[in-house]
Amino acid sequence: MAALALPSAVFGQRCYDRKQNTACRNPEKVFKIVRDIDKDECKYLCTTYPGSMTCYGYEYNYPLERCELHSSEVSAGKSSKDVDCYIGRKCDEDNSKHSATYTKIDGKACKAPSSAPPARKIYGVNSDECKRICTRDPTSENPDCVGFEYGGDRNQPCELYSKGKIKGGKKKKDYNCWVKN
């Protein structure tokens, strides 16, 4: 039983039907994997995915913190422990998007106060995706993001800072620190 999800451009905000302990499948087997990310961030990326890819749904593997963003029609697949499939659909009500502005500090890594927790690292995302994760809905279970660092290459992690006032730190080639205003 396949559930058709319309592209987000058609109706704006996305909602998802959860298929617990079930993997997602799509006939074209086209999806993007993002690692070291929580479920709320995975949902946010699918809901706001830019460019040519439309996200029709996502699969989240809890123990591996692994997100699959599916770019064609999604249906529930095989039973799979600790994996949930979220199939996109039109929301019944309009949920407004949250936005934020940032100050970019070119060529520097971010520096947080010594009392702040270590930055959370997410691999496999670009700077726009990193920014969307930091800007995500503030009602999510995660602490608010105060800024992020990105190294200009998908092999380098997006580093999210959640507490304290961050600023530009030591000079680092191809790195930028983004401080939420």
Side-chain angles (χ1 to χ4, degrees), residues 99-104 131 135 146 178-181:
S99 62
T101 58
Y102 293 83
T103 299
K104 180 181 178 184
K131 183 178 184 180
T135 307
V146 296
W178 299 81
V179 180
K180 193 182 278 187
N181 296 325

Side-chain angles (χ1 to χ4, degrees), residues 22-96:
T22 304
C24 287
R25 292 295 167 256
N26 71 58
E28 297 170 17
K29 298 180 181 174
V30 178
F31 54 88
K32 176 183 177 172
I33 295 174
V34 180
R35 299 182 192 284
D36 301 317
I37 187 170
D38 71 27
K39 182 187 71 67
D40 288 337
E41 293 162 340
C42 183
K43 175 184 176 182
Y44 193 79
L45 281 178
C46 189
T47 303
T48 62
Y49 208 92
S52 60
M53 182 181 148
T54 297
C55 186
Y56 286 83
Y58 64 96
E59 176 183 295
Y60 191 75
N61 183 312
Y62 293 89
L64 298 178
E65 295 183 322
R66 179 176 175 251
C67 171
E68 287 183 6
L69 301 170
H70 287 262
S71 60
S72 66
E73 185 178 323
V74 177
S75 63
K78 293 183 191 177
S79 291
S80 186
K81 186 180 177 193
D82 298 324
V83 173
D84 290 342
C85 177
Y86 294 84
I87 300 172
R89 64 174 172 79
K90 182 177 180 177
C91 290
D92 297 330
E93 58 186 60
D94 182 31
N95 299 319
S96 61

